[in-house]
Amino acid sequence: MDYRVSPGGQFSGRLRVAGDKSISHRSVMLGALADGVTHVTGLLEGEDVLCTLAAFRAMGVQAMGPEQGRLTIQGVGLHGLRPPAQPLDMGNSGTAMRLMSGILAGQNFDSVLIGDESLSKRPMKRVSEPLGLMGARIDTNEGGRPPLRVKGGQPLHGIEYKMPMASAQVKSALLLAGLYADGETVVTEPAPTRDHTERMLRGFGYAVNTDGATIRLRGGGQLIACDIDVPADISSATFFLVGAAIAPGSELVLEHVGMNPTRVGVINILKLMGADLSMENAREVGGEPVADLRIRGSQLKGIRIPEDQVPLAIDEFPALFIAAACATGETVLTGAHELRVKESDRIAVMATGLKRLGIDAQETSDGMVIHGGRLQGGDVDSHGDHRIAMSFAIAALAASGPITIHDCRNVATSFPEFPELARTAGLKLEVVES
Ligand code: S3P
């Protein structure tokens, strides 16, 4: 599936983007493992989250929905899952595979986690090794790649683990395994990463202690069902924020966006670039801060991106590279090696695409140097990466010719309504079968 996007236009109006992917995954997981019935609203009905839900259904969890973002989950308790008859297919989702590995490590049955072509190339040693230190037995393919074969019935014990990389997925896998471990599980992160797991565990009545960069919990407790209102995903909102920022005359309000401090790197970076961006109606919903964001088109300027913002904006760089391409001067990103192991190598794929659109973009080992200029029309390949596809789609707002993006099917993993919402806001986007 390709996107063909005609150049020019503006973004305007008010809209609410799809539910937060990270929070949606976690609401299904904790809802399934809780005692009692959990009601979720605002759930992202993207393929990634549906994989997580299907996995729990395959392990005997009953759930009604999702329908219009509503899902009711009959929790089975921490020890109520049943052996799945088949391998659990995590599709395109690194979050699903890594967090599930932590949960499955604590079960008394064997299981296998598989994924699509992209996920099958992604590194899993980052979870299998520390889970192994806790007593889990997880075999991987060569080089630590999926499938993951998880041996059941292994007693787990708490460990103290200093994470070598800033990864919320690794942290979450260990905390979830820690629910099943003897004693205390202690995880220290090298830089702050999204803390939705810690917040939601507390929401389900589980004691989690955060002291600076160190998070602790004790195994053997219980999760108590609760209601969850999932905010709109700041990572999906980003395509609209950047689109409006680069298209003169735009004015857009994005409603009910999750503003968790561990996710707001994109706001901080866009502001440093001179974006006309303000927050309205800030409030808290179910333990997560939420606000409406108003953004107007303005001339952006190139910046050196502060490295402390990188983990806080890790999923937003494909779109931020488009902002940099439209800014005056040079934008320099460093300290973002993790971008090379996302759904695609986002440094290589974005640099290639930007060059095809006439922008001077130079890859470095852990980032990119982009000289702002005028985007031209052309053909780019998303390499099946949802965020790359959406980033080049909104680039057309500031391009001098049409942009065709190949291999856009995976937008459905995180933001199925993107084409429709983008058109409503003013993007001249056509979806064509390739
Ligand atoms: C996620 C964590 C991040 C992010 C991913 C979702 C999560 O990955 O890139 O899209 O929900 O925990 P890492 O923790 O590997 O950086």
PDB file of all heavy atoms in Angstrom, residues 21-23 25-26 95 98-99 122 126 166-170 172 193-194 196-197 314-315 338 342-343 346 387, ligand 1:
ATOM      1  N   LYS A  21      -0.327   4.103  22.480  1.00  0.00           N
ATOM      2  CA  LYS A  21       0.003   2.690  22.229  1.00  0.00           C
ATOM      3  C   LYS A  21       0.614   2.050  23.474  1.00  0.00           C
ATOM      4  O   LYS A  21       0.240   0.944  23.859  1.00  0.00           O
ATOM      5  CB  LYS A  21       0.972   2.612  21.042  1.00  0.00           C
ATOM      6  CG  LYS A  21       1.360   1.204  20.650  1.00  0.00           C
ATOM      7  CD  LYS A  21       1.650   1.084  19.167  1.00  0.00           C
ATOM      8  CE  LYS A  21       2.915   1.791  18.738  1.00  0.00           C
ATOM      9  NZ  LYS A  21       4.134   1.028  19.054  1.00  0.00           N
ATOM     10  N   SER A  22       1.554   2.741  24.099  1.00  0.00           N
ATOM     11  CA  SER A  22       2.218   2.157  25.271  1.00  0.00           C
ATOM     12  C   SER A  22       1.212   1.899  26.387  1.00  0.00           C
ATOM     13  O   SER A  22       1.236   0.842  27.034  1.00  0.00           O
ATOM     14  CB  SER A  22       3.289   3.119  25.795  1.00  0.00           C
ATOM     15  OG  SER A  22       4.311   3.272  24.848  1.00  0.00           O
ATOM     16  N   ILE A  23       0.331   2.866  26.619  1.00  0.00           N
ATOM     17  CA  ILE A  23      -0.640   2.719  27.709  1.00  0.00           C
ATOM     18  C   ILE A  23      -1.673   1.645  27.348  1.00  0.00           C
ATOM     19  O   ILE A  23      -2.108   0.863  28.196  1.00  0.00           O
ATOM     20  CB  ILE A  23      -1.301   4.087  28.028  1.00  0.00           C
ATOM     21  CG1 ILE A  23      -0.227   5.072  28.497  1.00  0.00           C
ATOM     22  CG2 ILE A  23      -2.408   3.945  29.073  1.00  0.00           C
ATOM     23  CD1 ILE A  23      -0.733   6.491  28.744  1.00  0.00           C
ATOM     24  N   HIS A  25      -1.225  -1.097  25.435  1.00  0.00           N
ATOM     25  CA  HIS A  25      -0.632  -2.424  25.673  1.00  0.00           C
ATOM     26  C   HIS A  25      -0.698  -2.777  27.163  1.00  0.00           C
ATOM     27  O   HIS A  25      -1.081  -3.879  27.549  1.00  0.00           O
ATOM     28  CB  HIS A  25       0.866  -2.409  25.324  1.00  0.00           C
ATOM     29  CG  HIS A  25       1.187  -2.619  23.883  1.00  0.00           C
ATOM     30  ND1 HIS A  25       0.837  -3.745  23.187  1.00  0.00           N
ATOM     31  CD2 HIS A  25       1.877  -1.851  23.004  1.00  0.00           C
ATOM     32  CE1 HIS A  25       1.292  -3.662  21.941  1.00  0.00           C
ATOM     33  NE2 HIS A  25       1.932  -2.510  21.806  1.00  0.00           N
ATOM     34  N   ARG A  26      -0.273  -1.831  27.978  1.00  0.00           N
ATOM     35  CA  ARG A  26      -0.180  -2.108  29.413  1.00  0.00           C
ATOM     36  C   ARG A  26      -1.555  -2.301  30.035  1.00  0.00           C
ATOM     37  O   ARG A  26      -1.715  -3.076  30.985  1.00  0.00           O
ATOM     38  CB  ARG A  26       0.590  -0.976  30.110  1.00  0.00           C
ATOM     39  CG  ARG A  26       2.105  -1.025  29.767  1.00  0.00           C
ATOM     40  CD  ARG A  26       2.753   0.318  29.982  1.00  0.00           C
ATOM     41  NE  ARG A  26       4.200   0.307  29.840  1.00  0.00           N
ATOM     42  CZ  ARG A  26       4.873   0.357  28.681  1.00  0.00           C
ATOM     43  NH1 ARG A  26       4.221   0.401  27.524  1.00  0.00           N
ATOM     44  NH2 ARG A  26       6.199   0.358  28.664  1.00  0.00           N
ATOM     45  N   THR A  95       7.238  -3.766  21.714  1.00  0.00           N
ATOM     46  CA  THR A  95       6.705  -3.591  23.074  1.00  0.00           C
ATOM     47  C   THR A  95       5.984  -4.857  23.515  1.00  0.00           C
ATOM     48  O   THR A  95       6.209  -5.371  24.619  1.00  0.00           O
ATOM     49  CB  THR A  95       5.715  -2.404  23.123  1.00  0.00           C
ATOM     50  OG1 THR A  95       6.368  -1.251  22.607  1.00  0.00           O
ATOM     51  CG2 THR A  95       5.235  -2.142  24.529  1.00  0.00           C
ATOM     52  N   ARG A  98       8.583  -7.778  24.083  1.00  0.00           N
ATOM     53  CA  ARG A  98       9.496  -7.641  25.238  1.00  0.00           C
ATOM     54  C   ARG A  98       8.713  -7.673  26.554  1.00  0.00           C
ATOM     55  O   ARG A  98       9.136  -8.320  27.512  1.00  0.00           O
ATOM     56  CB  ARG A  98      10.324  -6.374  25.084  1.00  0.00           C
ATOM     57  CG  ARG A  98      11.229  -6.465  23.832  1.00  0.00           C
ATOM     58  CD  ARG A  98      12.354  -5.465  23.870  1.00  0.00           C
ATOM     59  NE  ARG A  98      13.202  -5.587  22.700  1.00  0.00           N
ATOM     60  CZ  ARG A  98      13.248  -4.699  21.683  1.00  0.00           C
ATOM     61  NH1 ARG A  98      12.484  -3.625  21.695  1.00  0.00           N
ATOM     62  NH2 ARG A  98      14.058  -4.888  20.659  1.00  0.00           N
ATOM     63  N   LEU A  99       7.587  -6.987  26.632  1.00  0.00           N
ATOM     64  CA  LEU A  99       6.833  -6.997  27.895  1.00  0.00           C
ATOM     65  C   LEU A  99       6.248  -8.390  28.160  1.00  0.00           C
ATOM     66  O   LEU A  99       6.260  -8.880  29.294  1.00  0.00           O
ATOM     67  CB  LEU A  99       5.735  -5.924  27.890  1.00  0.00           C
ATOM     68  CG  LEU A  99       6.165  -4.536  28.398  1.00  0.00           C
ATOM     69  CD1 LEU A  99       7.313  -3.954  27.606  1.00  0.00           C
ATOM     70  CD2 LEU A  99       5.005  -3.562  28.427  1.00  0.00           C
ATOM     71  N   ARG A 122      14.780  -7.910  15.332  1.00  0.00           N
ATOM     72  CA  ARG A 122      15.100  -6.962  16.418  1.00  0.00           C
ATOM     73  C   ARG A 122      15.735  -7.659  17.625  1.00  0.00           C
ATOM     74  O   ARG A 122      15.483  -8.822  17.901  1.00  0.00           O
ATOM     75  CB  ARG A 122      13.834  -6.171  16.786  1.00  0.00           C
ATOM     76  CG  ARG A 122      13.403  -5.302  15.604  1.00  0.00           C
ATOM     77  CD  ARG A 122      12.193  -4.479  15.890  1.00  0.00           C
ATOM     78  NE  ARG A 122      12.434  -3.491  16.916  1.00  0.00           N
ATOM     79  CZ  ARG A 122      11.478  -2.739  17.456  1.00  0.00           C
ATOM     80  NH1 ARG A 122      10.227  -2.888  17.061  1.00  0.00           N
ATOM     81  NH2 ARG A 122      11.766  -1.857  18.375  1.00  0.00           N
ATOM     82  N   ARG A 126      18.481  -8.080  25.124  1.00  0.00           N
ATOM     83  CA  ARG A 126      18.323  -7.039  26.146  1.00  0.00           C
ATOM     84  C   ARG A 126      17.267  -7.425  27.192  1.00  0.00           C
ATOM     85  O   ARG A 126      17.292  -6.913  28.301  1.00  0.00           O
ATOM     86  CB  ARG A 126      18.001  -5.693  25.494  1.00  0.00           C
ATOM     87  CG  ARG A 126      16.825  -5.744  24.557  1.00  0.00           C
ATOM     88  CD  ARG A 126      16.505  -4.404  23.909  1.00  0.00           C
ATOM     89  NE  ARG A 126      17.590  -3.883  23.092  1.00  0.00           N
ATOM     90  CZ  ARG A 126      17.711  -2.609  22.748  1.00  0.00           C
ATOM     91  NH1 ARG A 126      16.809  -1.728  23.131  1.00  0.00           N
ATOM     92  NH2 ARG A 126      18.711  -2.199  22.023  1.00  0.00           N
ATOM     93  N   ALA A 166      18.861   3.070  27.768  1.00  0.00           N
ATOM     94  CA  ALA A 166      17.622   3.675  28.272  1.00  0.00           C
ATOM     95  C   ALA A 166      16.455   3.033  27.540  1.00  0.00           C
ATOM     96  O   ALA A 166      16.133   3.416  26.417  1.00  0.00           O
ATOM     97  CB  ALA A 166      17.649   5.188  28.032  1.00  0.00           C
ATOM     98  N   SER A 167      15.835   2.030  28.146  1.00  0.00           N
ATOM     99  CA  SER A 167      14.740   1.317  27.477  1.00  0.00           C
ATOM    100  C   SER A 167      13.602   1.027  28.444  1.00  0.00           C
ATOM    101  O   SER A 167      13.757   0.268  29.402  1.00  0.00           O
ATOM    102  CB  SER A 167      15.253   0.002  26.881  1.00  0.00           C
ATOM    103  OG  SER A 167      14.148  -0.800  26.509  1.00  0.00           O
ATOM    104  N   ALA A 168      12.446   1.615  28.141  1.00  0.00           N
ATOM    105  CA  ALA A 168      11.253   1.360  28.961  1.00  0.00           C
ATOM    106  C   ALA A 168      10.776  -0.070  28.776  1.00  0.00           C
ATOM    107  O   ALA A 168      10.151  -0.641  29.667  1.00  0.00           O
ATOM    108  CB  ALA A 168      10.146   2.326  28.571  1.00  0.00           C
ATOM    109  N   GLN A 169      11.070  -0.642  27.610  1.00  0.00           N
ATOM    110  CA  GLN A 169      10.615  -2.017  27.371  1.00  0.00           C
ATOM    111  C   GLN A 169      11.392  -2.991  28.248  1.00  0.00           C
ATOM    112  O   GLN A 169      10.816  -3.925  28.812  1.00  0.00           O
ATOM    113  CB  GLN A 169      10.769  -2.360  25.891  1.00  0.00           C
ATOM    114  CG  GLN A 169       9.841  -1.530  25.016  1.00  0.00           C
ATOM    115  CD  GLN A 169       9.989  -1.825  23.547  1.00  0.00           C
ATOM    116  OE1 GLN A 169      10.866  -2.592  23.138  1.00  0.00           O
ATOM    117  NE2 GLN A 169       9.147  -1.208  22.742  1.00  0.00           N
ATOM    118  N   VAL A 170      12.693  -2.781  28.360  1.00  0.00           N
ATOM    119  CA  VAL A 170      13.502  -3.653  29.219  1.00  0.00           C
ATOM    120  C   VAL A 170      13.074  -3.469  30.680  1.00  0.00           C
ATOM    121  O   VAL A 170      12.820  -4.437  31.402  1.00  0.00           O
ATOM    122  CB  VAL A 170      15.005  -3.359  29.031  1.00  0.00           C
ATOM    123  CG1 VAL A 170      15.835  -4.186  30.014  1.00  0.00           C
ATOM    124  CG2 VAL A 170      15.428  -3.639  27.585  1.00  0.00           C
ATOM    125  N   SER A 172      10.275  -2.495  31.840  1.00  0.00           N
ATOM    126  CA  SER A 172       8.933  -3.036  32.070  1.00  0.00           C
ATOM    127  C   SER A 172       8.949  -4.556  32.103  1.00  0.00           C
ATOM    128  O   SER A 172       8.259  -5.170  32.921  1.00  0.00           O
ATOM    129  CB  SER A 172       7.987  -2.558  30.969  1.00  0.00           C
ATOM    130  OG  SER A 172       7.945  -1.146  30.956  1.00  0.00           O
ATOM    131  N   THR A 193      13.115   6.967  31.246  1.00  0.00           N
ATOM    132  CA  THR A 193      12.325   6.456  30.117  1.00  0.00           C
ATOM    133  C   THR A 193      10.862   6.436  30.541  1.00  0.00           C
ATOM    134  O   THR A 193      10.561   6.574  31.736  1.00  0.00           O
ATOM    135  CB  THR A 193      12.740   5.024  29.724  1.00  0.00           C
ATOM    136  OG1 THR A 193      12.384   4.136  30.781  1.00  0.00           O
ATOM    137  CG2 THR A 193      14.239   4.935  29.440  1.00  0.00           C
ATOM    138  N   ARG A 194       9.978   6.218  29.588  1.00  0.00           N
ATOM    139  CA  ARG A 194       8.538   6.301  29.890  1.00  0.00           C
ATOM    140  C   ARG A 194       8.200   5.410  31.085  1.00  0.00           C
ATOM    141  O   ARG A 194       8.680   4.270  31.181  1.00  0.00           O
ATOM    142  CB  ARG A 194       7.707   5.974  28.647  1.00  0.00           C
ATOM    143  CG  ARG A 194       7.847   4.588  28.125  1.00  0.00           C
ATOM    144  CD  ARG A 194       7.216   4.460  26.747  1.00  0.00           C
ATOM    145  NE  ARG A 194       7.978   5.208  25.752  1.00  0.00           N
ATOM    146  CZ  ARG A 194       7.580   5.490  24.524  1.00  0.00           C
ATOM    147  NH1 ARG A 194       6.383   5.112  24.117  1.00  0.00           N
ATOM    148  NH2 ARG A 194       8.341   6.154  23.689  1.00  0.00           N
ATOM    149  N   HIS A 196       5.045   4.462  32.197  1.00  0.00           N
ATOM    150  CA  HIS A 196       3.639   4.038  32.218  1.00  0.00           C
ATOM    151  C   HIS A 196       3.443   2.744  33.010  1.00  0.00           C
ATOM    152  O   HIS A 196       2.410   2.558  33.642  1.00  0.00           O
ATOM    153  CB  HIS A 196       3.119   3.828  30.792  1.00  0.00           C
ATOM    154  CG  HIS A 196       3.282   5.015  29.910  1.00  0.00           C
ATOM    155  ND1 HIS A 196       2.707   6.233  30.191  1.00  0.00           N
ATOM    156  CD2 HIS A 196       3.963   5.187  28.763  1.00  0.00           C
ATOM    157  CE1 HIS A 196       3.026   7.088  29.237  1.00  0.00           C
ATOM    158  NE2 HIS A 196       3.789   6.489  28.357  1.00  0.00           N
ATOM    159  N   THR A 197       4.428   1.838  32.963  1.00  0.00           N
ATOM    160  CA  THR A 197       4.267   0.574  33.697  1.00  0.00           C
ATOM    161  C   THR A 197       4.182   0.854  35.196  1.00  0.00           C
ATOM    162  O   THR A 197       3.294   0.326  35.886  1.00  0.00           O
ATOM    163  CB  THR A 197       5.453  -0.362  33.395  1.00  0.00           C
ATOM    164  OG1 THR A 197       5.496  -0.567  31.983  1.00  0.00           O
ATOM    165  CG2 THR A 197       5.306  -1.702  34.101  1.00  0.00           C
ATOM    166  N   ILE A 314      11.997   9.473  21.796  1.00  0.00           N
ATOM    167  CA  ILE A 314      12.660   8.439  20.985  1.00  0.00           C
ATOM    168  C   ILE A 314      11.835   8.035  19.763  1.00  0.00           C
ATOM    169  O   ILE A 314      12.401   7.758  18.703  1.00  0.00           O
ATOM    170  CB  ILE A 314      13.059   7.216  21.865  1.00  0.00           C
ATOM    171  CG1 ILE A 314      14.051   6.330  21.113  1.00  0.00           C
ATOM    172  CG2 ILE A 314      11.858   6.444  22.373  1.00  0.00           C
ATOM    173  CD1 ILE A 314      15.388   6.939  20.851  1.00  0.00           C
ATOM    174  N   ASP A 315      10.505   8.032  19.873  1.00  0.00           N
ATOM    175  CA  ASP A 315       9.684   7.619  18.726  1.00  0.00           C
ATOM    176  C   ASP A 315       9.371   8.788  17.786  1.00  0.00           C
ATOM    177  O   ASP A 315       8.753   8.594  16.742  1.00  0.00           O
ATOM    178  CB  ASP A 315       8.363   7.014  19.221  1.00  0.00           C
ATOM    179  CG  ASP A 315       8.588   5.663  19.911  1.00  0.00           C
ATOM    180  OD1 ASP A 315       9.643   5.034  19.663  1.00  0.00           O
ATOM    181  OD2 ASP A 315       7.719   5.257  20.696  1.00  0.00           O
ATOM    182  N   GLU A 338      19.817   4.112  19.551  1.00  0.00           N
ATOM    183  CA  GLU A 338      18.637   3.231  19.657  1.00  0.00           C
ATOM    184  C   GLU A 338      17.737   3.314  18.417  1.00  0.00           C
ATOM    185  O   GLU A 338      16.993   2.387  18.120  1.00  0.00           O
ATOM    186  CB  GLU A 338      17.829   3.584  20.907  1.00  0.00           C
ATOM    187  CG  GLU A 338      18.388   2.978  22.192  1.00  0.00           C
ATOM    188  CD  GLU A 338      18.271   1.454  22.244  1.00  0.00           C
ATOM    189  OE1 GLU A 338      17.146   0.954  22.122  1.00  0.00           O
ATOM    190  OE2 GLU A 338      19.293   0.777  22.379  1.00  0.00           O
ATOM    191  N   LYS A 342      14.858   0.209  15.831  1.00  0.00           N
ATOM    192  CA  LYS A 342      13.390   0.331  15.916  1.00  0.00           C
ATOM    193  C   LYS A 342      12.762  -0.509  14.792  1.00  0.00           C
ATOM    194  O   LYS A 342      13.403  -1.386  14.254  1.00  0.00           O
ATOM    195  CB  LYS A 342      12.999   1.811  15.841  1.00  0.00           C
ATOM    196  CG  LYS A 342      13.473   2.616  17.053  1.00  0.00           C
ATOM    197  CD  LYS A 342      12.790   2.178  18.317  1.00  0.00           C
ATOM    198  CE  LYS A 342      13.292   2.908  19.541  1.00  0.00           C
ATOM    199  NZ  LYS A 342      12.789   2.303  20.776  1.00  0.00           N
ATOM    200  N   GLU A 343      11.509  -0.210  14.414  1.00  0.00           N
ATOM    201  CA  GLU A 343      10.822  -1.011  13.403  1.00  0.00           C
ATOM    202  C   GLU A 343      11.628  -1.046  12.097  1.00  0.00           C
ATOM    203  O   GLU A 343      11.493  -1.956  11.282  1.00  0.00           O
ATOM    204  CB  GLU A 343       9.406  -0.478  13.163  1.00  0.00           C
ATOM    205  CG  GLU A 343       8.427  -0.802  14.296  1.00  0.00           C
ATOM    206  CD  GLU A 343       8.485   0.154  15.481  1.00  0.00           C
ATOM    207  OE1 GLU A 343       9.566   0.734  15.772  1.00  0.00           O
ATOM    208  OE2 GLU A 343       7.428   0.335  16.126  1.00  0.00           O
ATOM    209  N   ARG A 346      15.960   3.703  11.708  1.00  0.00           N
ATOM    210  CA  ARG A 346      15.324   4.995  11.405  1.00  0.00           C
ATOM    211  C   ARG A 346      16.326   6.086  11.025  1.00  0.00           C
ATOM    212  O   ARG A 346      15.941   7.091  10.425  1.00  0.00           O
ATOM    213  CB  ARG A 346      14.445   5.443  12.584  1.00  0.00           C
ATOM    214  CG  ARG A 346      13.190   4.605  12.670  1.00  0.00           C
ATOM    215  CD  ARG A 346      12.260   5.006  13.784  1.00  0.00           C
ATOM    216  NE  ARG A 346      11.028   4.228  13.672  1.00  0.00           N
ATOM    217  CZ  ARG A 346      10.139   4.087  14.641  1.00  0.00           C
ATOM    218  NH1 ARG A 346      10.321   4.667  15.808  1.00  0.00           N
ATOM    219  NH2 ARG A 346       9.045   3.372  14.438  1.00  0.00           N
ATOM    220  N   ARG A 387       6.046   4.854  11.383  1.00  0.00           N
ATOM    221  CA  ARG A 387       6.352   6.262  11.691  1.00  0.00           C
ATOM    222  C   ARG A 387       7.098   6.948  10.543  1.00  0.00           C
ATOM    223  O   ARG A 387       6.983   8.156  10.348  1.00  0.00           O
ATOM    224  CB  ARG A 387       7.144   6.361  12.993  1.00  0.00           C
ATOM    225  CG  ARG A 387       6.360   5.805  14.179  1.00  0.00           C
ATOM    226  CD  ARG A 387       6.843   6.326  15.516  1.00  0.00           C
ATOM    227  NE  ARG A 387       6.309   5.502  16.596  1.00  0.00           N
ATOM    228  CZ  ARG A 387       5.070   5.576  17.088  1.00  0.00           C
ATOM    229  NH1 ARG A 387       4.226   6.468  16.605  1.00  0.00           N
ATOM    230  NH2 ARG A 387       4.667   4.776  18.051  1.00  0.00           N
TER     231      ARG A 387
HETATM  232  C1  S3P B   1       7.918   1.664  24.361  1.00  0.00           C
HETATM  233  C2  S3P B   1       9.215   1.992  24.616  1.00  0.00           C
HETATM  234  C3  S3P B   1      10.146   2.531  23.615  1.00  0.00           C
HETATM  235  C4  S3P B   1       9.412   2.994  22.358  1.00  0.00           C
HETATM  236  C5  S3P B   1       8.342   2.052  21.924  1.00  0.00           C
HETATM  237  C6  S3P B   1       7.314   1.856  23.022  1.00  0.00           C
HETATM  238  C7  S3P B   1       7.071   1.127  25.453  1.00  0.00           C
HETATM  239  O1  S3P B   1      11.063   1.516  23.247  1.00  0.00           O
HETATM  240  O2  S3P B   1      10.343   3.201  21.306  1.00  0.00           O
HETATM  241  O3  S3P B   1       7.683   2.550  20.770  1.00  0.00           O
HETATM  242  O4  S3P B   1       5.833   1.107  25.311  1.00  0.00           O
HETATM  243  O5  S3P B   1       7.636   0.747  26.483  1.00  0.00           O
HETATM  244  P1  S3P B   1      12.415   1.266  24.101  1.00  0.00           P
HETATM  245  O6  S3P B   1      12.027   1.093  25.479  1.00  0.00           O
HETATM  246  O7  S3P B   1      13.015   0.047  23.469  1.00  0.00           O
HETATM  247  O8  S3P B   1      13.239   2.484  23.860  1.00  0.00           O
END
